[in-house]
């Protein structure tokens, strides 16, 4: 798969004018509540939706009411419910906890949900962050605490999501499997290379833009790769916090056996890199702008591997 500089940049700059929403609130890892294990799932496919920033959403039932569209965010470790939904359902509010966003740390209350159901799967007495989400159409965020030991497939051609038991898969024509490792509940790809140099990469379906940190930018500058005219991209978190970055292009990115060329990313000194402990080492966050270039992307949290299904030429 090869992304052309013109095609990717046009999409990136068009969205920049409206303001990206690339970073959800991340619950502070030391403060994350202990949740009961997710039930062993059967294969289930749900029709997805899209929010205002092209994130994929899934219908969620809360205490038997709904469905409410929840954005699927593989970069957040605790699920969230919109404050207005928590108030409408009279959910019990628990003490506030520190929450990390792309900008910094703030304190947000927790809400107790008696029954949280996605498709045929349900969890009882589940705690979720109560967030003042800007998008009035969004009911909350489905994070990786719901995906323990499961396999999540984001099928972009069918606009659907599949929750299934973890299983081992192999690379074959049109499909690339990339080994990954867990960090704070997220999947961090370990077989990522910029040229011939190893970097860290994270799949983040809650970020519309792909981001990189300053350490990766310095690596790129040392390689002598030329960049187009400086272009500032304005972004905003789900809580309405504004921040900015500079669009650059990665001339060659390898994810396992998958090779990507001229990949547009936004270089930003985002707080998310501090959260993952990679602020000083080259790292890239793979957002929806890149993920939607594939037919489907599957994240197996039980086997710690990521599957990329290529779009047929």
């Amino acid at each position: 798969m090869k992304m052309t500089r013109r095609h990717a940049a046009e999409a990136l700059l068009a969205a920049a004018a409206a303001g990206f929403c690339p970073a959800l609130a991340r619950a502070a890892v030391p403060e994350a509540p202990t949740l009961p294990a997710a039930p062993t799932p059967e294969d289930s496919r749900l029709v997805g939706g899209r929010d205002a920033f092209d994130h994929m959403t899934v219908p969620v039932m809360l205490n038997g009411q709904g469905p409410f569209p929840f954005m699927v965010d593989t970069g957040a470790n605790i699920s969230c419910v919109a404050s207005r939904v928590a108030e409408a359902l009279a959910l019990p509010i628990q003490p506030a906890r520190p929450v990390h966003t792309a900008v910094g740390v703030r304190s947000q209350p927790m809400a107790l949900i008696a029954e949280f159901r996605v498709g045929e799967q349900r969890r009882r007495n589940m705690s979720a962050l109560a967030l003042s989400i800007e998008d009035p159409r969004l009911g909350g965020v489905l994070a990786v605490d719901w995906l323990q030991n499961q396999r999540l497939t984001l099928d972009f051609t069918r606009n659907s999501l599949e929750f299934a038991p973890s299983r081992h898969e192999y690379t074959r024509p049109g499909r690339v499997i990339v080994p990954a490792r867990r960090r704070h509940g997220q999947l961090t790809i370990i077989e990522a290379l910029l040229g011939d140099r190893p970097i860290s990469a994270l799949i983040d379906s809650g970020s519309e833009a792909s981001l990189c940190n300053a350490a990766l930018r310095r690596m790129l500058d040392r390689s002598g790769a030329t960049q187009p005219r400086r272009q500032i991209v304005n972004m905003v978190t789900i809580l309405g916090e504004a921040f900015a970055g500079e669009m650059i292009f990665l001339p060659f990115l390898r994810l396992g056996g998958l090779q990507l060329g001229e990949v547009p990313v936004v270089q930003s000194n985002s707080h998310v890199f501090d959260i993952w402990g990679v602020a000083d080492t080259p790292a890239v966050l793979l957002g929806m702008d890149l993920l939607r270039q594939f037919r489907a992307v599957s994240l197996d949290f039980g086997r710690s591997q990521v599957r990329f299904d290529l779009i047929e030429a």
Side-chain angles (χ1 to χ4, degrees), residues 100 102-104 184 213 269-280:
H100 291 268
V103 176
H184 304 324
N213 61 6
N269 296 323
S270 171
H271 181 60
V272 294
F273 295 110
D274 296 308
I275 301 171
W276 302 325
V278 293
D280 299 322

Side-chain angles (χ1 to χ4, degrees), residues 9 12-13 227-228 231-233 245-249 264-267:
L12 191 60
L13 292 176
Q227 292 293 323
Q231 174 65 51
I232 299 300
V233 178
E246 180 183 356
M247 188 174 71
I248 64 175
F249 291 88
V265 299
V266 177
Q267 190 267 302

Side-chain angles (χ1 to χ4, degrees), residues 159-180:
N159 194 40
S160 66
L161 303 95
E162 182 184 29
F163 299 88
S166 174
R167 71 183 185 206
H168 192 72
E169 296 183 289
Y170 298 92
T171 293
R172 59 176 175 77
R175 175 171 293 179
V176 177
I177 308 298
V178 182

Side-chain angles (χ1 to χ4, degrees), residues 3-4 18-19 31 34 39 51 59 66 70 77 86 101 117 126 128 160 175 204-205 225 233 240-241 270 282 307:
M3 296 175 61
T4 67
E31 297 292 331
T34 300
D51 70 3
F70 271 52
N77 63 351
T101 72
R117 181 162 66 87
M126 175 174 164
S160 66
R175 175 171 293 179
D204 191 348
S205 64
V233 178
E241 304 159 305
S270 171
R307 190 189 82 213

Side-chain angles (χ1 to χ4, degrees), residues 6 63 68 90 101 191 203 206 228 236 246 250 254-255 280 310:
R6 181 183 65 81
N63 295 351
F68 301 96
T101 72
E191 290 189 9
I203 303 290
V236 61
E246 180 183 356
L250 307 183
R254 183 192 297 273
L255 304 174
D280 299 322
L310 308 183

Side-chain angles (χ1 to χ4, degrees), residues 48-307:
R50 295 189 183 187
D51 70 3
F53 292 93
D54 210 28
H55 303 110
M56 188 169 281
T57 64
V58 64
V60 173
M61 300 293 293
L62 302 176
N63 295 351
Q65 300 189 56
F68 301 96
F70 271 52
M71 182 178 67
V72 180
D73 186 1
T74 60
N77 63 351
I78 297 180
S79 296
C80 313
V81 60
S83 298
R84 62 183 178 281
V85 173
E87 182 177 352
L89 299 182
L91 300 180
I93 300 300
Q94 301 175 318
R97 295 178 180 271
V99 176
H100 291 268
T101 72
V103 176
V105 185
R106 59 191 298 176
S107 185
Q108 292 289 136
M110 303 288 291
L112 181 63
I113 303 170
E115 183 185 77
F116 189 104
R117 181 162 66 87
V118 182
E120 297 304 313
Q121 298 183 51
R122 65 190 68 204
R123 183 175 289 150
R124 300 188 185 280
N125 298 321
M126 175 174 164
S127 293
L129 287 165
L131 297 182
S132 299
I133 298 175
E134 289 284 296
D135 187 347
R137 294 167 293 181
L138 200 61
V141 177
L142 188 71
V144 298
D145 57 344
W146 180 263
L147 299 169
Q148 300 171 41
N149 301 318
Q150 296 186 59
R151 177 169 51 87
L152 166 67
T153 300
L154 305 173
D155 191 324
F156 301 114
T157 58
R158 299 183 182 181
N159 194 40
S160 66
L161 303 95
E162 182 184 29
F163 299 88
S166 174
R167 71 183 185 206
H168 192 72
E169 296 183 289
Y170 298 92
T171 293
R172 59 176 175 77
R175 175 171 293 179
V176 177
I177 308 298
V178 182
R181 60 186 169 90
R182 300 288 290 272
R183 177 178 293 179
H184 304 324
Q186 288 88 354
L187 284 171
T188 302
I189 298 176
I190 56 176
E191 290 189 9
L193 297 172
L194 180 63
D196 60 353
R197 300 289 299 277
I199 65 172
S200 296
L202 184 98
I203 303 290
D204 191 348
S205 64
S207 177
E208 179 55 25
S210 294
L211 306 178
C212 76
N213 61 6
L216 188 143
R217 175 61 185 268
R218 290 193 294 270
M219 174 189 287
L220 188 63
D221 290 342
R222 288 194 297 269
S223 71
T226 59
Q227 292 293 323
R229 179 176 59 85
R230 180 180 173 88
Q231 174 65 51
I232 299 300
V233 178
N234 295 312
M235 297 171 283
V236 61
T237 72
I238 194 173
L239 301 180
E241 304 159 305
F243 67 110
E246 180 183 356
M247 188 174 71
I248 64 175
F249 291 88
L250 307 183
F252 182 85
L253 180 65
R254 183 192 297 273
L255 304 174
L258 187 64
Q259 300 180 17
L260 310 178
E262 301 293 340
V263 179
V265 299
V266 177
Q267 190 267 302
S268 173
N269 296 323
S270 171
H271 181 60
V272 294
F273 295 110
D274 296 308
I275 301 171
W276 302 325
V278 293
D280 299 322
T281 58
V284 62
L285 178 153
L286 307 180
M288 290 294 285
D289 59 331
L290 179 60
L291 300 181
R292 285 193 179 277
Q293 303 300 317
F294 297 93
R295 184 176 64 80
V297 176
S298 178
L299 297 94
D300 194 321
F301 290 85
R303 296 275 183 173
S304 292
Q305 62 184 22
V306 180
R307 190 189 82 213

